[in-house]
Amino acid sequence: MFNTNALHNLLNVSITLSALIVAILLATGCAQLADGTLECSQSFVGPSYTAAAVAALSALKIAVNIMRDGISGLIKPQPPVDK
């Protein structure tokens, strides 16, 4: 079986990087409108791509958790780490 812990942590890093992308969108010309949406006509990347990436990575992370620990594993306490 593949290393689900490494994949889980890779997904955590990817989700964090996607938040950085939102910050980059804001820095490259996107503006947040009064209703909370991003207007990016001045930016080279649209916010819908970032939102889709965050959603896909988050769903994949939850799927890995379910594959590894089952549905009940999403809420059970984790065992201590052996040293």
Side-chain angles (χ1 to χ4, degrees):
M1 183 174 205
F2 61 96
N3 185 344
T4 57
N5 189 46
L7 177 60
H8 190 263
N9 288 319
L10 178 64
L11 291 169
N12 281 337
V13 169
S14 299
I15 291 167
T16 302
L17 289 176
S18 61
L20 176 64
I21 292 171
V22 172
I24 291 170
L25 285 173
L26 292 172
T28 61
C30 291
Q32 187 172 9
L33 302 178
D35 64 358
T37 59
L38 287 178
E39 193 286 310
C40 292
S41 62
Q42 301 299 316
S43 180
F44 57 91
V45 179
S48 59
Y49 295 113
T50 304
V54 171
L57 291 169
S58 298
L60 185 56
K61 182 179 172 197
I62 291 169
V64 167
N65 283 347
I66 292 171
M67 285 180 0
R68 182 176 61 188
D69 301 326
I71 295 283
S72 63
L74 293 175
I75 57 171
K76 74 178 183 182
Q78 295 297 308
V81 176
D82 291 334
K83 291 196 179 206

